[in-house]
Short mmCIF file of all heavy atoms in Angstrom, two decimals:
data_model
loop_
_atom_site.label_atom_id
_atom_site.label_comp_id
_atom_site.label_asym_id
_atom_site.label_seq_id
_atom_site.Cartn_x
_atom_site.Cartn_y
_atom_site.Cartn_z
N THR S 1 3.94 3.66 -1.95
CA THR S 1 2.61 3.64 -1.32
C THR S 1 1.98 5.05 -1.39
O THR S 1 0.81 5.13 -1.74
CB THR S 1 2.70 3.16 0.13
OG1 THR S 1 3.26 1.81 0.12
CG2 THR S 1 1.33 3.13 0.79
N ALA S 2 2.72 6.05 -1.04
CA ALA S 2 2.21 7.43 -1.15
C ALA S 2 1.82 7.78 -2.59
O ALA S 2 0.72 8.34 -2.82
CB ALA S 2 3.25 8.39 -0.61
N GLY S 3 2.64 7.42 -3.54
CA GLY S 3 2.37 7.68 -4.92
C GLY S 3 1.14 6.93 -5.43
O GLY S 3 0.30 7.44 -6.18
N ALA S 4 1.08 5.62 -5.00
CA ALA S 4 -0.08 4.80 -5.45
C ALA S 4 -1.42 5.36 -4.91
O ALA S 4 -2.41 5.39 -5.62
CB ALA S 4 0.13 3.35 -5.04
N PHE S 5 -1.40 5.74 -3.68
CA PHE S 5 -2.62 6.30 -3.05
C PHE S 5 -3.00 7.59 -3.77
O PHE S 5 -4.17 7.82 -4.10
CB PHE S 5 -2.39 6.57 -1.54
CG PHE S 5 -2.79 5.35 -0.68
CD1 PHE S 5 -1.93 4.40 -0.34
CD2 PHE S 5 -4.13 5.32 -0.18
CE1 PHE S 5 -2.26 3.34 0.45
CE2 PHE S 5 -4.49 4.25 0.62
CZ PHE S 5 -3.57 3.25 0.95
N ALA S 6 -1.96 8.40 -4.02
CA ALA S 6 -2.28 9.69 -4.71
C ALA S 6 -2.78 9.47 -6.15
O ALA S 6 -3.77 10.10 -6.56
CB ALA S 6 -0.98 10.55 -4.75
N GLY S 7 -2.18 8.52 -6.85
CA GLY S 7 -2.62 8.18 -8.25
C GLY S 7 -4.06 7.64 -8.25
O GLY S 7 -4.80 7.98 -9.11
N TYR S 8 -4.36 6.76 -7.35
CA TYR S 8 -5.66 6.20 -7.29
C TYR S 8 -6.74 7.19 -6.88
O TYR S 8 -7.80 7.31 -7.45
CB TYR S 8 -5.67 5.03 -6.34
CG TYR S 8 -6.98 4.24 -6.27
CD1 TYR S 8 -7.27 3.18 -7.12
CD2 TYR S 8 -7.96 4.50 -5.24
CE1 TYR S 8 -8.39 2.50 -7.10
CE2 TYR S 8 -9.12 3.77 -5.15
CZ TYR S 8 -9.37 2.76 -6.11
OH TYR S 8 -10.55 2.09 -6.05
N ALA S 9 -6.38 8.00 -5.85
CA ALA S 9 -7.30 8.98 -5.39
C ALA S 9 -7.60 10.11 -6.41
O ALA S 9 -8.70 10.71 -6.36
CB ALA S 9 -6.77 9.69 -4.11
N ALA S 10 -6.68 10.34 -7.30
CA ALA S 10 -6.88 11.36 -8.35
C ALA S 10 -8.01 10.97 -9.30
O ALA S 10 -8.70 11.92 -9.83
CB ALA S 10 -5.56 11.60 -9.08
N PHE S 11 -8.30 9.69 -9.44
CA PHE S 11 -9.23 9.27 -10.45
C PHE S 11 -10.42 8.51 -9.80
O PHE S 11 -11.48 8.41 -10.47
CB PHE S 11 -8.60 8.38 -11.51
CG PHE S 11 -7.52 9.08 -12.28
CD1 PHE S 11 -6.15 8.96 -11.99
CD2 PHE S 11 -7.83 9.92 -13.33
CE1 PHE S 11 -5.21 9.57 -12.69
CE2 PHE S 11 -6.85 10.58 -14.06
CZ PHE S 11 -5.53 10.43 -13.72
N VAL S 12 -10.24 8.02 -8.60
CA VAL S 12 -11.32 7.37 -7.90
C VAL S 12 -11.42 8.04 -6.52
O VAL S 12 -11.09 7.34 -5.52
CB VAL S 12 -11.12 5.83 -7.79
CG1 VAL S 12 -12.41 5.14 -7.33
CG2 VAL S 12 -10.65 5.25 -9.11
N PRO S 13 -11.72 9.27 -6.40
CA PRO S 13 -11.54 9.97 -5.18
C PRO S 13 -12.49 9.61 -4.03
O PRO S 13 -12.18 9.81 -2.84
CB PRO S 13 -11.88 11.47 -5.59
CG PRO S 13 -12.74 11.33 -6.78
CD PRO S 13 -12.23 10.10 -7.47
N GLU S 14 -13.61 8.96 -4.36
CA GLU S 14 -14.57 8.68 -3.29
C GLU S 14 -14.37 7.36 -2.63
O GLU S 14 -15.10 7.08 -1.67
CB GLU S 14 -16.05 8.68 -3.93
CG GLU S 14 -16.35 7.57 -4.90
CD GLU S 14 -15.81 7.81 -6.32
OE1 GLU S 14 -15.13 8.84 -6.51
OE2 GLU S 14 -16.01 6.96 -7.18
N LEU S 15 -13.45 6.53 -3.06
CA LEU S 15 -13.38 5.17 -2.56
C LEU S 15 -12.12 4.91 -1.66
O LEU S 15 -12.10 3.95 -0.91
CB LEU S 15 -13.37 4.14 -3.68
CG LEU S 15 -14.69 4.08 -4.50
CD1 LEU S 15 -14.56 3.15 -5.61
CD2 LEU S 15 -15.86 3.63 -3.55
N TRP S 16 -11.09 5.67 -1.85
CA TRP S 16 -9.80 5.30 -1.21
C TRP S 16 -9.79 5.42 0.26
O TRP S 16 -9.03 4.80 0.96
CB TRP S 16 -8.63 6.03 -1.84
CG TRP S 16 -8.67 7.54 -1.50
CD1 TRP S 16 -9.37 8.48 -2.13
CD2 TRP S 16 -7.94 8.22 -0.49
NE1 TRP S 16 -9.11 9.71 -1.61
CE2 TRP S 16 -8.26 9.57 -0.54
CE3 TRP S 16 -7.07 7.79 0.50
CZ2 TRP S 16 -7.74 10.52 0.29
CZ3 TRP S 16 -6.58 8.72 1.38
CH2 TRP S 16 -6.86 10.05 1.30
N LYS S 17 -10.68 6.32 0.82
CA LYS S 17 -10.72 6.48 2.27
C LYS S 17 -11.53 5.41 2.88
O LYS S 17 -12.46 4.81 2.26
CB LYS S 17 -11.34 7.81 2.59
CG LYS S 17 -10.60 9.02 2.13
CD LYS S 17 -11.32 10.33 2.43
CE LYS S 17 -10.57 11.50 1.88
NZ LYS S 17 -11.30 12.80 2.18
N GLY S 18 -11.26 5.00 4.11
CA GLY S 18 -12.00 3.95 4.80
C GLY S 18 -11.30 3.52 6.04
O GLY S 18 -10.09 3.89 6.28
N PRO S 19 -11.91 2.71 6.80
CA PRO S 19 -11.30 2.27 8.14
C PRO S 19 -10.09 1.44 7.93
O PRO S 19 -9.19 1.27 8.83
CB PRO S 19 -12.47 1.43 8.78
CG PRO S 19 -13.37 1.02 7.63
CD PRO S 19 -13.29 2.17 6.66
N ALA S 20 -9.94 0.79 6.73
CA ALA S 20 -8.81 -0.06 6.46
C ALA S 20 -7.61 0.72 5.86
O ALA S 20 -6.58 0.13 5.52
CB ALA S 20 -9.16 -1.19 5.52
N LEU S 21 -7.76 2.03 5.74
CA LEU S 21 -6.75 2.85 5.06
C LEU S 21 -5.39 2.72 5.75
O LEU S 21 -4.38 2.45 5.06
CB LEU S 21 -7.20 4.32 5.07
CG LEU S 21 -6.18 5.38 4.66
CD1 LEU S 21 -5.70 5.15 3.20
CD2 LEU S 21 -6.70 6.80 4.82
N VAL S 22 -5.33 2.90 7.06
CA VAL S 22 -4.03 2.85 7.78
C VAL S 22 -3.37 1.49 7.62
O VAL S 22 -2.21 1.38 7.42
CB VAL S 22 -4.28 3.20 9.24
CG1 VAL S 22 -2.99 3.02 10.03
CG2 VAL S 22 -4.77 4.65 9.40
N ARG S 23 -4.20 0.42 7.80
CA ARG S 23 -3.63 -0.92 7.71
C ARG S 23 -3.10 -1.17 6.33
O ARG S 23 -1.99 -1.70 6.11
CB ARG S 23 -4.65 -2.00 8.07
CG ARG S 23 -4.10 -3.37 7.81
CD ARG S 23 -5.12 -4.45 8.07
NE ARG S 23 -6.43 -4.18 7.63
CZ ARG S 23 -6.91 -4.26 6.40
NH1 ARG S 23 -6.00 -4.51 5.36
NH2 ARG S 23 -8.12 -4.03 6.13
N SER S 24 -3.84 -0.84 5.30
CA SER S 24 -3.43 -1.06 3.96
C SER S 24 -2.16 -0.24 3.59
O SER S 24 -1.29 -0.76 2.91
CB SER S 24 -4.57 -0.67 2.95
OG SER S 24 -4.19 -0.93 1.64
N ALA S 25 -2.13 1.01 4.06
CA ALA S 25 -0.91 1.82 3.81
C ALA S 25 0.30 1.24 4.53
O ALA S 25 1.39 1.21 3.98
CB ALA S 25 -1.18 3.22 4.25
N THR S 26 0.11 0.80 5.76
CA THR S 26 1.18 0.21 6.52
C THR S 26 1.71 -1.05 5.87
O THR S 26 2.93 -1.25 5.71
CB THR S 26 0.75 -0.09 7.94
OG1 THR S 26 0.27 1.05 8.61
CG2 THR S 26 1.90 -0.70 8.77
N ALA S 27 0.79 -1.89 5.38
CA ALA S 27 1.20 -3.07 4.69
C ALA S 27 1.93 -2.73 3.38
O ALA S 27 2.89 -3.45 2.97
CB ALA S 27 -0.04 -3.95 4.41
N GLY S 28 1.43 -1.70 2.71
CA GLY S 28 2.13 -1.29 1.46
C GLY S 28 3.53 -0.83 1.66
O GLY S 28 4.40 -1.08 0.82
N VAL S 29 3.81 -0.23 2.82
CA VAL S 29 5.18 0.16 3.13
C VAL S 29 6.07 -1.03 3.52
O VAL S 29 7.24 -1.14 3.12
CB VAL S 29 5.15 1.17 4.28
CG1 VAL S 29 6.59 1.50 4.77
CG2 VAL S 29 4.49 2.50 3.83
N LEU S 30 5.45 -1.95 4.37
CA LEU S 30 6.27 -3.10 4.83
C LEU S 30 6.36 -4.27 3.85
O LEU S 30 7.37 -5.03 3.92
CB LEU S 30 5.62 -3.58 6.13
CG LEU S 30 5.67 -2.61 7.35
CD1 LEU S 30 5.03 -3.27 8.52
CD2 LEU S 30 7.07 -2.19 7.67
N TYR S 31 5.48 -4.39 2.94
CA TYR S 31 5.51 -5.48 1.99
C TYR S 31 6.79 -5.52 1.22
O TYR S 31 7.47 -6.55 1.13
CB TYR S 31 4.34 -5.47 1.00
CG TYR S 31 4.26 -6.56 0.03
CD1 TYR S 31 3.50 -7.77 0.37
CD2 TYR S 31 4.92 -6.52 -1.16
CE1 TYR S 31 3.47 -8.80 -0.55
CE2 TYR S 31 4.80 -7.53 -2.09
CZ TYR S 31 4.11 -8.70 -1.80
OH TYR S 31 4.08 -9.72 -2.67
N PRO S 32 7.30 -4.40 0.58
CA PRO S 32 8.58 -4.48 -0.08
C PRO S 32 9.77 -4.86 0.81
O PRO S 32 10.63 -5.55 0.36
CB PRO S 32 8.74 -3.02 -0.67
CG PRO S 32 7.37 -2.51 -0.72
CD PRO S 32 6.66 -3.08 0.43
N VAL S 33 9.75 -4.40 2.03
CA VAL S 33 10.80 -4.72 2.97
C VAL S 33 10.89 -6.20 3.23
O VAL S 33 11.94 -6.86 3.12
CB VAL S 33 10.67 -3.95 4.30
CG1 VAL S 33 11.78 -4.30 5.27
CG2 VAL S 33 10.67 -2.40 4.02
N LEU S 34 9.75 -6.78 3.55
CA LEU S 34 9.68 -8.22 3.86
C LEU S 34 10.01 -9.02 2.65
O LEU S 34 10.70 -10.04 2.69
CB LEU S 34 8.29 -8.59 4.40
CG LEU S 34 7.94 -7.88 5.71
CD1 LEU S 34 6.47 -8.27 6.14
CD2 LEU S 34 8.88 -8.27 6.84
N LEU S 35 9.56 -8.60 1.50
CA LEU S 35 9.92 -9.30 0.22
C LEU S 35 11.37 -9.31 -0.06
O LEU S 35 11.94 -10.34 -0.40
CB LEU S 35 9.08 -8.72 -0.94
CG LEU S 35 9.31 -9.32 -2.29
CD1 LEU S 35 8.77 -10.75 -2.30
CD2 LEU S 35 8.63 -8.47 -3.41
N VAL S 36 12.00 -8.18 0.11
CA VAL S 36 13.44 -8.08 -0.16
C VAL S 36 14.27 -8.93 0.85
O VAL S 36 15.20 -9.64 0.45
CB VAL S 36 13.89 -6.59 -0.12
CG1 VAL S 36 15.41 -6.50 -0.06
CG2 VAL S 36 13.37 -5.84 -1.36
N VAL S 37 13.89 -8.89 2.10
CA VAL S 37 14.58 -9.68 3.12
C VAL S 37 14.39 -11.18 2.82
O VAL S 37 15.38 -11.99 2.89
CB VAL S 37 14.06 -9.36 4.52
CG1 VAL S 37 14.66 -10.31 5.51
CG2 VAL S 37 14.49 -7.97 4.90
N PHE S 38 13.25 -11.54 2.45
CA PHE S 38 12.96 -12.97 2.09
C PHE S 38 13.84 -13.40 0.88
O PHE S 38 14.48 -14.47 0.91
CB PHE S 38 11.48 -13.13 1.77
CG PHE S 38 11.14 -14.55 1.24
CD1 PHE S 38 11.06 -15.61 2.05
CD2 PHE S 38 10.92 -14.72 -0.14
CE1 PHE S 38 10.80 -16.86 1.57
CE2 PHE S 38 10.57 -15.94 -0.64
CZ PHE S 38 10.51 -17.06 0.21
N CYS S 39 13.88 -12.57 -0.13
CA CYS S 39 14.67 -12.91 -1.35
C CYS S 39 16.17 -12.91 -1.03
O CYS S 39 16.93 -13.74 -1.56
CB CYS S 39 14.31 -11.95 -2.47
SG CYS S 39 12.65 -12.09 -3.10
N LEU S 40 16.64 -11.93 -0.24
CA LEU S 40 18.01 -11.90 0.10
C LEU S 40 18.41 -13.17 0.83
O LEU S 40 19.49 -13.79 0.56
CB LEU S 40 18.34 -10.69 1.02
CG LEU S 40 18.51 -9.36 0.27
CD1 LEU S 40 18.56 -8.22 1.30
CD2 LEU S 40 19.85 -9.40 -0.49
N GLY S 41 17.59 -13.57 1.80
CA GLY S 41 17.91 -14.84 2.55
C GLY S 41 17.91 -16.03 1.65
O GLY S 41 18.82 -16.90 1.83
N LEU S 42 16.95 -16.14 0.81
CA LEU S 42 16.91 -17.33 -0.11
C LEU S 42 18.09 -17.35 -1.08
O LEU S 42 18.65 -18.41 -1.40
CB LEU S 42 15.59 -17.35 -0.88
CG LEU S 42 15.20 -18.68 -1.49
CD1 LEU S 42 15.14 -19.74 -0.46
CD2 LEU S 42 13.87 -18.57 -2.18
#
């Protein structure tokens, strides 16, 4: 998530900030965790 935000901001610097930034970053961190747990269980 940190790398994706940095890579996007390097080329589209004016758009990545916003009120949804924290939520999107949090979801980006938790999405892989939930996906892996789901796949492990299945």
Side-chain angles (χ1 to χ4, degrees):
T1 300
F5 268 89
Y8 185 84
F11 298 97
V12 194
E14 68 278 4
L15 294 177
W16 68 277
K17 298 178 182 178
L21 169 63
V22 174
R23 174 184 39 78
S24 182
T26 302
V29 172
L30 294 180
Y31 182 91
V33 178
L34 297 176
L35 180 66
V36 165
V37 171
F38 174 74
C39 293
L40 277 170
L42 198 56

